[in-house]
Amino acid sequence: MPDLCVNIDHVATVRQARRTWEPDPAWAAVEAQLGGAHGITFHLREDRRHIQDDDLRKLKDLTNTRLNMEMAATSEMLGIAVQLQPQMAMLVPEGRDEITTEGGLDVVGRIDELRPIVHALKGAGIPVSAFIDAEPDQVSAAAECGFNVCELHTGPYADCFHQYGRSNEASAVMDEVERVSRASRSVLEAGMRCNAGHGLNYDNVAPIAAIAGLSELHIGHSIISRSIFVGVREATREMIRRMASTQSI
Ligand code: PXP
């Protein structure tokens, strides 16, 4: 079964709605860790819409689990990552108008721009992940660009699951699982680690968690939403139970 990394951005979104000090995403990270999370994921966006620079030091001080920093491929973010030394840097595309990360990074189209950032992060001892669509050409380009890890975008699977009545039996949904599964095999064959995430929730996580060879799932919105009712610790435990209840496909 893959490890669970809990994305705590949404806690900061609630805080920033009032520009106040609560709820604290670093406390949420500690609760997620106590609930069994293997890592904490956060996205320091260029527009600072949720996580703030001050949160990074607090996350580092309060948690003792893996920190995964999602970031745009810019020199500003590179400098911050090198200083923070997270366990992994995850390069994602960023759009000012998007509500959340919408598509995978176009490594094919941006390989020359990405290569020096990947090189600099790796040179600073930070493994680098590419958040990509589950497409063969993006996997090959990620390997060529020197990424250590690919995170496969499960948003299309999650949308399809929702569209087909929240059922994993629909053939279109099974096709989406197969697409992620095929891409994960290519990632592993290319010598990279493979993670997955986006849009996963308590109902749709099982078939993705069952894909052989995935190292981590990165899940945020669903866990933080559930935590309003049961707390972050319990919401994390529940997700791990859902992931563990899977059978191999
Ligand atoms: N992976 C990446 C690269 C993301 O940008 C996000 C959202 O911030 C997630 C995973 C988590 O997605 P969700 O909040 O839908 O679980």
Side-chain angles (χ1 to χ4, degrees):
M1 182 176 99
D3 286 350
L4 172 64
C5 295
V6 176
N7 181 315
I8 43 101
D9 295 346
H10 299 289
V11 178
T13 300
V14 175
R15 178 191 61 192
Q16 293 311 112
R18 286 291 177 93
R19 305 263 189 284
T20 179
W21 50 270
E22 64 179 1
D24 189 325
W27 289 5
V30 171
E31 285 295 317
Q33 195 186 331
L34 291 171
H38 305 91
I40 298 298
T41 303
F42 59 92
H43 185 173
L44 183 69
R45 280 185 168 265
E46 289 182 278
D47 62 10
R48 308 298 198 270
R49 69 172 70 163
H50 41 51
I51 295 292
Q52 305 295 305
D53 297 63
D54 281 353
D55 293 323
L56 307 189
R57 183 53 49 201
K58 228 166 162 188
L59 278 168
K60 190 104 182 173
D61 287 348
L62 289 185
T63 61
N64 61 0
T65 186
R66 304 200 291 266
L67 290 182
N68 308 307
M69 177 173 166
E70 279 185 39
M71 54 181 266
T74 64
S75 51
E76 183 206 8
M77 288 301 149
L78 171 64
I80 294 172
V82 168
Q83 215 183 356
L84 183 73
Q85 288 285 307
Q87 273 68 32
M88 183 165 65
M90 300 154 66
L91 300 190
V92 297
E94 247 182 56
R96 283 289 144 84
D97 298 329
E98 66 188 6
I99 293 172
T100 179
T101 314
E102 275 170 2
L105 191 64
D106 179 15
V107 185
V108 174
R110 295 176 58 188
I111 193 158
D112 291 337
E113 176 200 338
L114 295 170
R115 212 191 301 266
I117 304 264
V118 172
H119 185 75
L121 286 163
K122 285 168 72 177
I126 305 168
V128 197
S129 165
F131 179 59
I132 55 168
D133 293 332
E135 302 293 345
D137 56 344
Q138 295 294 348
V139 174
S140 314
E144 198 189 322
C145 195
F147 281 95
N148 308 93
V149 186
C150 287
E151 178 181 343
L152 299 174
H153 188 356
T154 49
Y157 157 72
D159 291 344
C160 192
F161 176 84
H162 195 73
Q163 190 185 336
Y164 285 87
R166 302 161 74 82
S167 160
N168 282 322
E169 319 248 297
S171 67
V173 178
M174 285 158 76
D175 287 350
E176 281 297 334
V177 175
E178 184 47 36
R179 203 158 72 85
V180 176
S181 182
R182 229 183 359 255
S184 78
R185 285 194 294 275
S186 309
V187 172
L188 298 175
E189 278 161 22
M192 297 176 283
R193 276 193 294 128
C194 191
N195 299 334
H198 214 284
L200 298 177
N201 59 41
Y202 295 89
D203 296 327
N204 69 19
V205 73
I208 298 295
I211 292 174
L214 286 185
S215 298
E216 295 169 358
L217 297 186
H218 293 257
I219 307 180
H221 188 260
S222 181
I223 293 174
I224 301 306
S225 300
R226 176 80 180 134
S227 75
I228 292 171
F229 304 106
V230 301
V232 175
R233 199 182 301 197
E234 181 53 23
T236 303
R237 276 197 202 114
E238 287 179 8
M239 184 58 81
I240 291 171
R241 279 202 291 272
R242 285 293 174 111
M243 287 165 58
S245 68
T246 60
Q247 288 162 5
S248 242
I249 54 167

Short mmCIF file of all heavy atoms in Angstrom, two decimals, residues 7 9-10 43 70 90 92 100-101 131 151 197-200 218-222, ligand 1:
data_model
loop_
_atom_site.label_atom_id
_atom_site.label_comp_id
_atom_site.label_asym_id
_atom_site.label_seq_id
_atom_site.Cartn_x
_atom_site.Cartn_y
_atom_site.Cartn_z
N ASN A 7 -2.16 16.82 2.48
CA ASN A 7 -1.96 18.20 2.04
C ASN A 7 -2.77 19.14 2.95
O ASN A 7 -3.99 19.01 3.07
CB ASN A 7 -2.43 18.31 0.58
CG ASN A 7 -2.24 19.71 0.02
OD1 ASN A 7 -2.56 20.68 0.67
ND2 ASN A 7 -1.74 19.80 -1.19
N ASP A 9 -2.93 22.54 2.83
CA ASP A 9 -3.19 23.89 2.27
C ASP A 9 -4.57 24.42 2.67
O ASP A 9 -4.75 25.62 2.90
CB ASP A 9 -3.15 23.88 0.74
CG ASP A 9 -1.78 23.56 0.19
OD1 ASP A 9 -0.81 23.60 0.96
OD2 ASP A 9 -1.69 23.27 -1.01
N HIS A 10 -5.55 23.51 2.69
CA HIS A 10 -6.93 23.97 2.91
C HIS A 10 -7.14 24.53 4.32
O HIS A 10 -8.05 25.32 4.55
CB HIS A 10 -7.91 22.85 2.60
CG HIS A 10 -7.80 22.40 1.17
ND1 HIS A 10 -8.22 23.18 0.13
CD2 HIS A 10 -7.26 21.30 0.63
CE1 HIS A 10 -7.96 22.56 -1.01
NE2 HIS A 10 -7.37 21.41 -0.74
N HIS A 43 1.69 23.65 -0.47
CA HIS A 43 2.01 24.36 -1.72
C HIS A 43 2.19 25.83 -1.38
O HIS A 43 1.23 26.51 -1.03
CB HIS A 43 0.84 24.15 -2.70
CG HIS A 43 1.06 24.72 -4.06
ND1 HIS A 43 0.19 24.51 -5.09
CD2 HIS A 43 2.07 25.48 -4.58
CE1 HIS A 43 0.62 25.12 -6.18
NE2 HIS A 43 1.76 25.72 -5.90
N GLU A 70 5.22 21.63 -2.64
CA GLU A 70 4.76 21.88 -4.01
C GLU A 70 5.16 23.30 -4.36
O GLU A 70 4.98 24.22 -3.56
CB GLU A 70 3.24 21.79 -4.09
CG GLU A 70 2.69 20.41 -4.20
CD GLU A 70 1.17 20.44 -4.39
OE1 GLU A 70 0.67 21.31 -5.12
OE2 GLU A 70 0.50 19.62 -3.76
N MET A 90 8.10 19.35 -5.25
CA MET A 90 7.18 18.85 -6.28
C MET A 90 6.83 19.99 -7.21
O MET A 90 6.16 20.94 -6.81
CB MET A 90 5.91 18.32 -5.59
CG MET A 90 6.22 17.19 -4.60
SD MET A 90 4.98 17.07 -3.30
CE MET A 90 3.55 16.61 -4.22
N VAL A 92 4.90 21.93 -9.89
CA VAL A 92 3.52 21.93 -10.40
C VAL A 92 3.31 23.18 -11.25
O VAL A 92 3.98 24.19 -11.05
CB VAL A 92 2.48 21.91 -9.24
CG1 VAL A 92 2.60 20.66 -8.41
CG2 VAL A 92 2.62 23.14 -8.35
N THR A 100 -7.70 25.37 -7.98
CA THR A 100 -6.66 24.47 -7.50
C THR A 100 -5.83 24.07 -8.72
O THR A 100 -6.15 24.47 -9.84
CB THR A 100 -7.26 23.23 -6.79
OG1 THR A 100 -6.21 22.37 -6.36
CG2 THR A 100 -8.19 22.45 -7.72
N THR A 101 -4.74 23.31 -8.51
CA THR A 101 -3.92 22.90 -9.64
C THR A 101 -4.80 22.15 -10.64
O THR A 101 -5.44 21.18 -10.29
CB THR A 101 -2.78 21.97 -9.16
OG1 THR A 101 -2.19 22.55 -8.00
CG2 THR A 101 -1.74 21.79 -10.23
N PHE A 131 4.60 16.76 -11.25
CA PHE A 131 3.17 16.45 -11.24
C PHE A 131 2.71 16.44 -12.70
O PHE A 131 2.66 17.50 -13.35
CB PHE A 131 2.43 17.52 -10.45
CG PHE A 131 0.94 17.33 -10.40
CD1 PHE A 131 0.38 16.18 -9.87
CD2 PHE A 131 0.08 18.31 -10.88
CE1 PHE A 131 -0.99 16.00 -9.81
CE2 PHE A 131 -1.30 18.15 -10.82
CZ PHE A 131 -1.83 16.99 -10.29
N GLU A 151 4.48 12.39 -9.96
CA GLU A 151 3.17 12.26 -9.31
C GLU A 151 2.13 12.28 -10.43
O GLU A 151 2.01 13.27 -11.16
CB GLU A 151 2.90 13.40 -8.33
CG GLU A 151 1.50 13.27 -7.70
CD GLU A 151 1.16 14.39 -6.73
OE1 GLU A 151 2.07 15.10 -6.29
OE2 GLU A 151 -0.04 14.56 -6.44
N GLY A 197 -2.02 11.64 -7.06
CA GLY A 197 -2.88 12.49 -6.24
C GLY A 197 -3.69 13.48 -7.03
O GLY A 197 -3.48 13.66 -8.24
N HIS A 198 -4.63 14.07 -6.37
CA HIS A 198 -5.57 15.10 -6.81
C HIS A 198 -6.96 14.51 -6.96
O HIS A 198 -7.16 13.56 -7.70
CB HIS A 198 -5.15 15.78 -8.12
CG HIS A 198 -5.56 17.23 -8.14
ND1 HIS A 198 -6.85 17.63 -8.33
CD2 HIS A 198 -4.84 18.36 -7.92
CE1 HIS A 198 -6.90 18.95 -8.26
NE2 HIS A 198 -5.69 19.42 -8.00
N GLY A 199 -7.89 15.10 -6.20
CA GLY A 199 -9.29 14.69 -6.30
C GLY A 199 -9.61 13.37 -5.62
O GLY A 199 -10.74 12.88 -5.74
N LEU A 200 -8.65 12.79 -4.92
CA LEU A 200 -8.93 11.50 -4.26
C LEU A 200 -9.73 11.75 -2.98
O LEU A 200 -9.50 12.74 -2.27
CB LEU A 200 -7.63 10.75 -3.96
CG LEU A 200 -6.80 10.38 -5.20
CD1 LEU A 200 -5.49 9.71 -4.80
CD2 LEU A 200 -7.61 9.45 -6.13
N HIS A 218 -1.06 11.72 -2.39
CA HIS A 218 -1.12 13.07 -1.81
C HIS A 218 -2.58 13.49 -1.81
O HIS A 218 -3.17 13.64 -2.88
CB HIS A 218 -0.25 14.04 -2.62
CG HIS A 218 1.20 13.71 -2.50
ND1 HIS A 218 2.06 14.42 -1.70
CD2 HIS A 218 1.93 12.71 -3.03
CE1 HIS A 218 3.26 13.87 -1.75
NE2 HIS A 218 3.21 12.82 -2.57
N ILE A 219 -3.15 13.64 -0.62
CA ILE A 219 -4.58 13.92 -0.52
C ILE A 219 -4.80 15.09 0.44
O ILE A 219 -4.26 15.10 1.55
CB ILE A 219 -5.35 12.67 -0.02
CG1 ILE A 219 -5.00 11.44 -0.88
CG2 ILE A 219 -6.86 12.93 -0.02
CD1 ILE A 219 -5.69 10.16 -0.49
N GLY A 220 -5.62 16.06 -0.01
CA GLY A 220 -5.86 17.23 0.83
C GLY A 220 -7.32 17.50 1.10
O GLY A 220 -7.82 17.31 2.22
N HIS A 221 -8.04 17.93 0.07
CA HIS A 221 -9.37 18.49 0.27
C HIS A 221 -10.31 17.56 1.03
O HIS A 221 -11.02 17.99 1.95
CB HIS A 221 -9.97 18.87 -1.09
CG HIS A 221 -11.24 19.62 -0.99
ND1 HIS A 221 -12.47 19.03 -1.15
CD2 HIS A 221 -11.48 20.92 -0.69
CE1 HIS A 221 -13.40 19.95 -0.97
NE2 HIS A 221 -12.83 21.10 -0.70
N SER A 222 -10.31 16.31 0.66
CA SER A 222 -11.25 15.37 1.27
C SER A 222 -10.95 15.16 2.77
O SER A 222 -11.86 15.16 3.61
CB SER A 222 -11.19 14.03 0.51
OG SER A 222 -12.09 13.14 1.06
N1 PXP B 1 -1.21 16.77 -5.71
C1 PXP B 1 -1.01 18.01 -6.22
C2 PXP B 1 0.15 18.21 -7.13
C3 PXP B 1 -1.85 19.09 -5.88
O1 PXP B 1 -1.61 20.30 -6.39
C4 PXP B 1 -2.90 18.86 -4.99
C5 PXP B 1 -3.78 20.00 -4.58
O2 PXP B 1 -3.09 20.98 -3.95
C6 PXP B 1 -3.07 17.56 -4.47
C7 PXP B 1 -2.23 16.54 -4.87
C8 PXP B 1 -4.17 17.25 -3.51
O3 PXP B 1 -5.39 17.37 -4.17
P1 PXP B 1 -6.74 17.32 -3.34
O4 PXP B 1 -6.78 18.53 -2.48
O5 PXP B 1 -7.78 17.32 -4.41
O6 PXP B 1 -6.71 16.05 -2.55
#
